[in-house]
Amino acid sequence: MTSPQARKDDLPRKVRVLLADDHELVRAGIRARLEGVAPFEIVGEATDGRMAVQLADMLKPDIILMDISMPGLNGLEATEAIRRKNPMISVLVLSIYDNPEYVRGVMQSGARGYLLKDISAKEMINAILAVADGGYYFSSRIGPALMENKPSPSPANPYGLTEREREVLQGVARGQANKEIAAHLGISVRTVESHRLNIRDKVGSGNAAHLYRIAQELRLV
């Protein structure tokens, strides 16, 4: 007979989400998308960047859905402040813009993904789950935007990956965590994370299945 404790341990862990957007209708729309979806718990709502920083410190959510344009302290500044004090909190930035410079600025701030506000509920849920599992996520239209104005890579290296990025991608495709990849390559976990950001910029997606297909295409697995 299964004990009550065992049954409790088998339950999926809740992903605690903080919403940060200065528009009440946007917050309400996101809440409506996520409420009732089993893994998610909305723990709070912030109406500007400073409030997002304060609530992040108080509530310690797993994920923050952060609007990029907010009064007082914008989403990039708030993300940097949160990541400095609470590096275990992951931030997914929301925006109406697919400008590649915006995306690069967001990733430099320490965010783990960039979502366009017109994405479907299903994609938003997938993005949150991917980031909660330690990954990154970019809306599908972000990849082409990032590839604009970049030098054309050689046919043998269609994505322009460096040798180290290829090694990191190989580890990702094998299902290794960042810590395992770092130990195997003799580099820091932070360096692995940086390489993973560069890989996703170049291949146009943070989706794990997409990265595996790229690794197969490059004959890394």
Side-chain angles (χ1 to χ4, degrees), residues 167-184:
E167 291 173 340
V168 170
L169 176 59
Q170 185 177 51
V172 173
R174 289 173 174 170
Q176 294 177 324
N178 287 352
K179 187 175 181 180
E180 294 174 298
I181 297 172
H184 177 70

Side-chain angles (χ1 to χ4, degrees), residues 16 23 29 35 47 54 59 91 114 120 138 162 196 211 215:
R16 303 174 71 253
H23 293 95
E35 281 186 332
T47 58
Q54 293 169 353
L59 301 173
V91 178
Y114 192 105
S120 67
F138 297 86
T162 67
R196 290 186 67 159
L211 292 177

Side-chain angles (χ1 to χ4, degrees), residues 12-17 39-41 61-65 88-92 112-113 115 124-137 196 206:
R13 180 181 69 85
K14 284 284 186 180
V15 178
R16 303 174 71 253
V17 180
F40 302 128
E41 178 186 0
D62 299 305
I63 306 283
I64 301 176
L65 294 181
M88 298 304 294
I89 296 176
S90 298
V91 178
L92 263 170
R112 298 184 71 87
L115 303 180
M124 179 174 286
I125 290 168
N126 288 340
I128 298 172
L129 291 175
V131 170
D133 198 37
Y136 296 80
Y137 199 99
R196 290 186 67 159

Side-chain angles (χ1 to χ4, degrees), residues 3 5 8 19 31 41 62 78 87 130 146 154 156 166 179:
S3 69
Q5 182 61 42
K8 181 179 179 180
L19 309 180
R31 179 181 283 274
E41 178 186 0
D62 299 305
L146 284 172
S154 69
R166 289 167 64 92
K179 187 175 181 180

Side-chain angles (χ1 to χ4, degrees), residues 2 13 28-29 32 34 41 61 64 67 70 73 82 84 88 94 104 138 140 143 179-180 186 193 212 218:
T2 305
R13 180 181 69 85
L34 300 182
E41 178 186 0
I64 301 176
D67 183 24
M70 290 187 291
L73 200 67
I82 289 166
R84 279 197 302 269
M88 298 304 294
L94 298 171
R104 294 190 182 99
F138 297 86
S140 55
K179 187 175 181 180
E180 294 174 298
E193 291 177 347
Y212 185 80
L218 297 177

Side-chain angles (χ1 to χ4, degrees), residues 100 104 143 145-153 159 198 200-203:
R104 294 190 182 99
L146 284 172
M147 293 301 291
E148 287 177 2
N149 303 319
K150 286 193 174 182
S152 298
Y159 302 98
N198 291 336
R200 283 157 177 75
D201 282 354
K202 292 177 179 180
V203 305

